[in-house]
Amino acid sequence: LLEDEEKKTVQVEVSDDNGGVITKEVPFDAVSVDIGSTTRDFNRIPGASQYCISTRPISDLVVRIEKEEQLLKDRLKDGTFKAAHFVVVGGGPAGIELSLAIRARFNEMLDSNLSITLIDS
C-alpha cells in the first residue's frame, strides 16, 4: 500500500519475533513492483502510477529510468539532492536482479547517498 504521497512511504506487513504480523512504513523515492509476470490492479493502487516504475513493458521501463536518472543529475548539479531511496517490491529473481541493476547504475553517481530496500512476501 502506497500510504502517503507527500511523505512517499509504502506500508508493508512483516512477521515480528513472536510470530505476529506488524505493519512497517518504508520511505522511498522510487518503487518497483516485481511480483510476477503481470502487475494486477497497478492503476488502482493509490500513488502507484505516480511513484512506481513498472518493469513491463521493458521499453517503458528504459524510458522512465533514463528520465529519473536525468532528474537525479539535475538535482546533483543544483545542490537539491540529499539521498535516493529505492524500494523494490518482489524478492524473486527479477526483484533481486533489479536491485543489483539499480546499485550498478547509480552507485558511482550517488555514492553513499543511495539505499535500496527489497521487499518480499
Side-chain angles (χ1 to χ4, degrees):
L1 173 64
L2 296 175
E3 183 60 27
D4 188 325
E5 291 181 26
E6 283 188 30
K7 285 181 14 186
K8 291 172 75 171
T9 60
V10 60
Q11 285 189 352
V12 295
E13 291 182 347
V14 297
S15 299
D16 64 16
D17 294 336
N18 301 318
V21 175
I22 59 173
T23 301
K24 286 194 168 190
E25 197 172 88
V26 179
F28 68 86
D29 288 305
V31 176
S32 174
V33 179
D34 297 285
I35 53 174
S37 61
T38 60
T39 305
R40 288 170 270 166
D41 300 326
F42 186 77
N43 292 321
R44 291 181 18 183
I45 300 170
S49 62
Q50 185 175 1
Y51 295 109
C52 290
I53 300 173
S54 178
T55 58
R56 291 168 189 86
I58 192 74
S59 58
D60 290 351
L61 171 64
V62 171
V63 170
R64 181 73 187 270
I65 291 291
E66 289 172 350
K67 176 184 167 195
E68 295 299 325
E69 182 176 24
Q70 187 58 53
L71 290 171
L72 282 173
K73 287 178 180 177
D74 292 345
R75 289 178 59 204
L76 283 166
K77 259 187 195 174
D78 68 18
T80 59
F81 175 79
K82 292 186 178 118
H85 189 111
F86 290 83
V87 174
V88 178
V89 180
I96 293 168
E97 181 179 8
L98 182 60
S99 297
L100 293 170
I102 291 168
R103 174 68 62 195
R105 182 162 189 151
F106 295 108
N107 198 51
E108 185 176 322
M109 178 178 29
L110 302 177
D111 194 28
S112 62
N113 296 314
L114 169 65
S115 63
I116 302 166
T117 301
L118 180 64
I119 298 174
D120 190 21
S121 58

